[in-house]
Amino acid sequence: MQTFITENFLLQTEAARRLYFDHVQHLPIIDYHNHLSPEDIAENRKFKTITEVWLNGDHYKWRAMRANGIDEKLITGDADDYEKFKAWAATVPYTMRNPLYHWTHLELKHPFNVNELLNEESAEKIYNQCNELLQTKYSVPEILMYHKVELLCTTDNPTDDLKHHQQIAQSNSKLKVYPAFRPDIFLNFNERNEWLHQLQLLEQSTKSSINSPDDFLTALQSRIEYFHNNGCRLSDHGLEFMPLYSTGIKNYESIFSDLLQNKNVLQDDLDSLKAYVLFELCKLYYSKNWVQQFHLGAMRNNNSRLLKLLGRDAGTDSIGDYKQAGNLSVFLNELDKENKLAKTILYNLNPADNEVFATLAGNFNDGSVAGKIQWGSAWWFLDQKDGMEKQLNALSNMGLLSRFVGMITDSRSFLSFSRHDYFRRILCNLIGNEIENGELPSDFNWLGDVLTGISYRNAKEYFGWNIKLNT
């Protein structure tokens, strides 16, 4: 059966189509937050099968397959690539009204020009068609070129040597690939064994000995300098909620010493140390004119059986119902009081917090930068049509949609860039409907320019990417 993904997909009115086709369809992509492999880009990787590029590591699809009664062998187990693909194809019809149904057929159409629905009957033909193109036409850089990706930022451990970013920078590629500084593991004091292991790696990468909080922050500062010299202009933090920052005196030396000696430490003390280290890091980000990102609200690794079997990112995470507003407001306010609040993007996972985050962001703009404090794009479980529309509407109601820095893929798959097109169609449809309803003027040049900003230009101006590397 022919696909439902036509050129007018999601564009319900003539005004929406005019905005999309005349203004945003052909814009380049800036994807400032994803989990792609810089090695795959640097090495011009060619995937052997669509299973490699599309199913391996995609916990969205894994969750759907488990919900559909597919055995784990056909998801993350030792079944061959075609068996796994066919199991996914058999699941796809059952994903109707889940964003996976739209994403799947968008990603098959672009770049593989597949114009029929994926199901168990069409699986073999589509599998072969995609594999042939992956082998003959679409290496990783060619996939990125197809989607007009101009710049992307990966997500990287502070101890990463960034050799693949350096390799890309030294190539003749027009594509810009920069690292983003993600120090989560160094703030997760509750996972003591992994924290101690990572601390050893940090000592090795900085050629230093870490015995105190000052040593710890000095080592992290050294890595921030290294990342900066390799083009990094963003940090990123994935937290359940912002720890409560206190200006009172705490014996951080003693807490840190007990951590190093693997002694028991009270949870309140661990949280205090976490808030202190994070606060000091944020001041460093400000000094480098970085953008700091906070992804808040995920309850991770809920299934201990699959965590033991597969490790993290196995598709067993969910929305958490943590309290967000109080601690986050205190943290941002303390940075603002010291005039050390960097440009900031806030992402919430619980949709109940939409208006909370939208209004919190507005509290700390200071006129220095348009949209300095951003409420970020609909994230993870909210990254779908309904979630995007709700985010766009709440942002419009509580802030300035016109200053929004737009969409990210937040993905591990090189085929996910059609999500930018998905977002742009939803955005154009939203504004187009309001033109048709008489809620906005039919000034297509003005509104087209606004949507161009949201889809592309705002991010470019906000991050200020004009980087001369000094490695």
Side-chain angles (χ1 to χ4, degrees), residues 204-224:
Q204 292 169 15
S205 64
T206 58
K207 297 181 174 60
S208 65
S209 180
I210 299 173
N211 298 301
S212 69
D214 285 347
D215 293 341
F216 186 42
L217 285 165
T218 299
L220 288 171
Q221 181 177 10
S222 173
R223 297 310 296 169
I224 287 171

Side-chain angles (χ1 to χ4, degrees), residues 368-424:
S368 63
V369 177
K372 176 180 175 179
I373 312 300
Q374 292 272 329
W375 178 34
S377 62
W379 169 47
W380 203 341
F381 293 109
L382 308 184
D383 180 13
Q384 24 76 9
K385 182 175 179 289
D386 180 63
M388 289 184 201
E389 289 175 342
K390 286 178 177 176
Q391 190 268 349
L392 292 169
N393 283 325
L395 178 55
S396 299
N397 290 333
M398 311 293 173
L400 296 181
L401 174 64
S402 55
R403 291 300 190 180
F404 180 37
V405 293
M407 179 63 180
I408 52 174
T409 61
D410 187 34
S411 175
R412 290 169 173 78
S413 171
F414 286 97
L415 298 182
S416 293
F417 287 98
S418 58
R419 294 184 196 176
H420 280 265
D421 185 60
Y422 195 55
F423 167 81
R424 291 171 181 180

Side-chain angles (χ1 to χ4, degrees), residues 151-166:
L151 184 149
L152 58 84
C153 296
T154 58
T155 303
D156 306 278
N157 187 303
T159 59
D160 197 300
D161 62 14
L162 305 181
K163 65 180 181 182
H164 300 298
H165 295 86
Q166 294 166 3

Side-chain angles (χ1 to χ4, degrees), residues 303-327:
N303 187 317
S304 58
R305 176 182 58 83
L306 285 177
L307 176 63
K308 185 176 181 180
L309 180 68
L310 302 172
R312 300 173 184 272
D313 303 315
T316 64
D317 310 311
S318 62
I319 293 170
D321 58 351
Y322 310 108
K323 290 184 178 180
Q324 299 290 355
N327 290 7

Side-chain angles (χ1 to χ4, degrees), residues 35 85 135 211 262 316 325 426 442 461-462:
H35 300 273
F85 182 83
Q135 284 295 296
N211 298 301
N262 224 356
T316 64
I426 290 167
S442 56
E461 293 176 352
Y462 182 75

Side-chain angles (χ1 to χ4, degrees), residues 37-45 140-141 163-165 167-168:
S37 164
E39 180 179 5
D40 288 346
I41 302 170
E43 300 297 335
N44 300 324
R45 180 176 177 180
V140 163
K163 65 180 181 182
H164 300 298
H165 295 86
Q167 187 177 340
I168 296 165

